[in-house]
């Protein structure tokens, strides 16, 4: 068994992102095919407990303590460092070790694993906090919410399982504005989400498209619409420092006040539902914007962008483009999450064409840059100009 495991590790380390994902999925299918019914029930029914255990471990800073220690730590040592009761802590540590979030090295003695190192990092801790604190209650409310609507597909962002869970009439994004700590955690989660994975800059031919038309230092080269903290705008400017033109990060003022400072990236307070004030930019870039909104709202954003575009402008939509058949489980669960909290969706290729063409755009090409999630750049232009 060890030789087989070593061979699998070697294959994963020597392959690309797609091969590594394929190996993980094959192992997952193998596990599903050999476990008993009891194994299956035990695995699924305790997923919530795993998330709760990780959340508690983050609260107690257990993962940082273990990852930073050169030697294993005892329950007594960890109790002294965290202030948690030793009897309780021993139970929690044994549970975390049971699914390899940490490693049990001896009786009442623990060290770190690869998972420990992941959750010792603030950005990945934020992912657990976001999904436990914000998404978790909505997920728990989803079955009863859907039953109350006779299982209709949610299309109104003010009528989702999120409103039921948090007893609010506000859309999730509006409600979040009243919760500054939750916003902070969410933004930190987004900043590290998909860390280490390819980005749109690895797939999209920026220089070829940019230099096909006239650029100038005064013209806006790249507008990051709803760009959050600005990671993508900064990455664009750093990858292409010689391309002339301004780079602008747009978002709402409460978000921009936390944005990363960069001397070559301008910040602009913009509500993309109210209009696009930057006219004639070369690239209008929207990353993970449309998956947050149902089609009706998405069409407003598209129309506002079209009205600002020049004849040589390009709209770049950085979002998942799911296959019409055989959606990967990681993408499918994100689609369910968008439905649960925002009445939105991760769209299939067929749904993207229907949305964009119906809103007056023509899709030039789709560039896919991740294997499982199908993160892609959709390059589109106004159909009225390029029809």
């Amino acid at each position: 068994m060890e030789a087989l495991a070593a061979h699998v590790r070697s294959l994963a380390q020597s392959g690309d992102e797609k091969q590594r994902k394929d190996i993980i999925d094959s192992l997952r299918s193998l596990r599903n095919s050999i476990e008993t019914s009891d194994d299956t029930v035990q695995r699924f029914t305790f997923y919530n407990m795993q998330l709760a255990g990780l959340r508690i471990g983050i609260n107690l800073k257990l993962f940082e303590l273990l990852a930073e220690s050169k030697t294993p730590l005892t329950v007594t040592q960890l109790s002294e460092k965290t202030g948690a009761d030793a009897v309780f802590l021993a139970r929690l540590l044994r549970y975390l070790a049971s699914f390899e979030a940490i490693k049990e090295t001896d009786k009442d003695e623990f060290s770190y694993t690869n998972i420990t190192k992941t959750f010792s990092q603030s950005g990945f801790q934020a992912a657990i906090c976001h999904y436990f604190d914000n998404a978790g209650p909505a997920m728990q409310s989803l079955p009863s919410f859907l039953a109350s609507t006779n299982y209709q597909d949610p299309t109104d962002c003010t009528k989702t399982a999120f409103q039921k869970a948090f007893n609010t009439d506000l859309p999730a994004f509006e409600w979040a504005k009243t919760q500054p700590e939750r916003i902070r955690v969410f933004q930190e989660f987004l900043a590290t989400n998909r860390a280490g994975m390819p980005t749109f800059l690895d797939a999209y031919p920026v220089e070829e498209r940019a230099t096909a038309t006239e650029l100038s230092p005064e013209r806006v080269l790249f507008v990051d619409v709803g760009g959050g903290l600005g990671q993508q705008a900064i990455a664009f400017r750093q990858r292409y420092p010689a391309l002339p033109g301004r780079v602008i990060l747009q978002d709402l003022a409460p978000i921009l006040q936390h944005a990363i400072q960069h001397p070559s990236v301008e910040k602009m307070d913009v509500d993309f539902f109210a209009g696009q004030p930057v006219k004639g930019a070369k690239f209008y870039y929207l990353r993970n914007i449309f998956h947050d909104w149902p089609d009706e709202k998405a069409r407003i954003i598209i129309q506002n962008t079209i009205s600002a575009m020049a004849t040589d402008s390009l709209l770049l939509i950085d979002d998942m483009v799911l296959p019409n058949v055989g959606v990967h489980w990681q993408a499918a669960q994100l689609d369910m999450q968008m439905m649960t909290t925002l009445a939105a969706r991760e769209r299939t290729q067929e749904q993207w064409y229907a949305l964009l063409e119906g809103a007056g755009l023509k899709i030039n090409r789709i560039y896919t840059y991740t294997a499982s999630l199908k993160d892609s750049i959709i390059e589109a232009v106004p159909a009225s100009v390029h029809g």
Side-chain angles (χ1 to χ4, degrees):
M1 187 62 71
E2 272 302 314
L4 180 59
H7 178 62
V8 171
R9 287 192 198 96
S10 177
L11 287 175
Q13 290 168 357
S14 63
D16 58 14
E17 185 246 353
K18 183 181 186 306
Q19 183 174 344
R20 187 182 62 81
K21 293 279 190 179
D22 287 346
I23 291 171
I24 292 172
D25 290 341
S26 295
L27 293 172
R28 181 171 173 266
S29 296
L30 175 62
R31 177 201 61 198
N32 293 344
S33 70
I34 65 175
E35 66 183 10
T36 66
S37 296
D38 182 63
D39 293 332
T40 301
V41 171
Q42 288 286 333
R43 178 163 58 86
F44 280 105
T45 54
F46 278 88
Y47 276 155
N48 284 353
M49 185 59 76
Q50 286 190 17
L51 193 60
L54 292 170
R55 185 68 174 90
I56 297 166
I58 288 167
N59 288 347
L60 293 173
K61 300 188 183 303
L62 289 175
F63 303 115
E64 296 103 302
L65 291 170
L66 291 170
E68 293 168 1
S69 179
K70 296 180 180 179
T71 59
L73 297 175
T74 66
V75 170
T76 300
Q77 289 173 313
L78 288 168
S79 176
E80 291 171 351
K81 291 176 182 293
T82 63
D85 173 69
V87 176
F88 154 73
L89 195 56
R91 299 171 73 180
L92 175 65
L93 291 164
R94 286 195 295 270
Y95 174 63
L96 292 172
S98 73
F99 60 94
E100 298 187 2
I102 64 175
K103 181 179 181 180
E104 187 175 31
T105 54
D106 206 338
K107 180 180 178 297
D108 291 334
E109 183 182 270
F110 299 87
S111 185
Y112 62 84
T113 65
N114 191 45
I115 296 174
T116 315
K117 290 181 178 179
T118 293
F119 291 123
S120 69
Q121 300 175 56
S122 177
F124 297 120
Q125 290 179 359
I128 295 294
C129 295
H130 168 64
Y131 277 102
F132 187 84
D133 300 349
N134 303 331
M139 291 179 189
Q140 291 292 313
S141 296
L142 183 60
S144 60
F145 168 78
L146 288 173
S148 72
T149 67
N150 198 26
Y151 300 96
Q152 299 301 298
D153 190 47
T155 57
D156 185 341
C157 61
T158 66
K159 294 180 175 62
T160 72
F162 181 89
Q163 281 75 37
K164 180 179 177 65
F166 289 98
N167 192 28
T168 180
D169 294 326
L170 295 173
F173 285 129
E174 292 299 315
W175 178 86
K177 292 177 184 177
T178 70
Q179 309 287 324
E181 177 57 20
R182 291 178 191 259
I183 282 186
R184 185 198 65 77
V185 170
F186 180 60
Q187 288 295 330
E188 187 173 5
F189 157 60
L190 291 181
T192 54
N193 187 29
R194 306 181 191 178
M197 294 178 68
T199 75
F200 83 101
L201 295 172
D202 298 317
Y204 184 71
V206 169
E207 287 183 306
E208 176 186 324
R209 293 294 190 271
T211 56
T213 54
E214 187 172 341
L215 303 177
S216 69
E218 295 76 27
R219 184 185 184 186
V220 176
L221 171 65
F222 184 85
V223 185
D224 190 356
V225 182
L229 300 185
Q231 295 94 333
Q232 303 304 314
I234 292 171
F236 177 91
R237 184 75 282 177
Q238 290 176 337
R239 180 76 70 95
Y240 300 105
L243 283 179
R246 298 158 58 198
V247 173
I248 297 177
L249 166 66
Q250 294 180 341
D251 215 310
L252 299 174
I255 303 299
L256 291 178
Q257 68 181 353
H258 301 292
I260 304 165
Q261 299 296 323
H262 190 279
S264 299
V265 176
E266 305 171 37
K267 292 189 290 185
M268 183 181 292
D269 179 8
V270 173
D271 177 353
F272 46 53
F273 288 116
Q276 176 51 260
V278 176
K279 307 300 182 182
K282 178 60 186 179
F283 298 114
Y284 292 91
Y285 171 80
L286 297 94
R287 180 176 187 267
N288 291 346
I289 299 298
F290 292 108
H291 82 153
D292 286 337
W293 302 100
D295 286 358
E296 179 185 358
K297 295 288 189 179
R299 281 190 285 268
I300 296 173
I301 302 171
I302 293 168
Q303 291 296 330
N304 287 339
T305 307
I306 289 175
S307 67
M309 295 174 74
T311 56
D312 65 341
S313 296
L314 295 170
L315 174 59
L316 305 182
I317 298 172
D318 190 347
D319 237 310
M320 297 196 300
V321 179
L322 306 184
N324 295 325
V325 178
V327 175
H328 190 269
W329 64 270
Q330 290 182 342
Q333 67 186 14
L334 287 171
D335 176 52
M336 292 294 288
Q337 175 60 26
M338 294 300 103
M339 179 191 74
T340 300
T341 56
L342 300 169
R345 68 180 70 248
E346 303 294 352
R347 293 174 175 85
T348 64
Q349 182 171 330
E350 183 177 68
Q351 289 168 335
W352 274 116
Y353 271 90
L355 171 65
L356 299 184
E357 291 180 351
L361 288 170
K362 173 182 177 292
I363 295 176
N364 285 341
R365 184 173 169 182
I366 298 175
Y367 301 79
T368 298
Y369 62 88
T370 65
S372 56
L373 295 177
K374 301 301 180 184
D375 292 302
S376 304
I377 284 288
I378 304 173
E379 181 189 87
V381 293
S384 59
V385 176
H386 299 267

